Amino acid sequence: MGAGVRARLGPAERETLEQFRLAFLHVPLAWVHALPQPKDGAAILWALGQIPPSERLSTLALDLDWPPPPPRR
């Protein structure tokens, strides 16, 4: 999400967005590593097109093999 959008949010909403981003969104490094060469935008778009829409979120955002982040204090 762009900085301009975040700037229009109040502090509580920005904190919620940041917590969501930290908890659920990450760079799917294993998925990117498994892409064929060259690993460029065209390869990413092609690979995304191979994933059924109903499986894209679980494939890219939910990495169940990684431990959850430690709780924030």
Side-chain angles (χ1 to χ4, degrees), residues 31-32 34-51:
W31 182 81
V32 172
L35 290 175
Q37 291 290 343
K39 296 178 192 306
D40 58 7
I44 290 172
L45 292 174
W46 175 85
L48 286 172
Q50 304 308 302
I51 303 170

Side-chain angles (χ1 to χ4, degrees), residues 2-49:
V5 173
R6 287 190 305 267
R8 290 188 291 253
L9 297 174
E13 289 82 8
R14 277 196 302 266
E15 178 65 23
T16 300
L17 179 63
E18 183 66 13
Q19 291 299 317
F20 175 81
R21 185 188 67 78
L22 290 173
F24 296 106
L25 301 178
H26 69 282
V27 177
L29 295 177
W31 182 81
V32 172
H33 180 73
L35 290 175
Q37 291 290 343
K39 296 178 192 306
D40 58 7
I44 290 172
L45 292 174
W46 175 85
L48 286 172

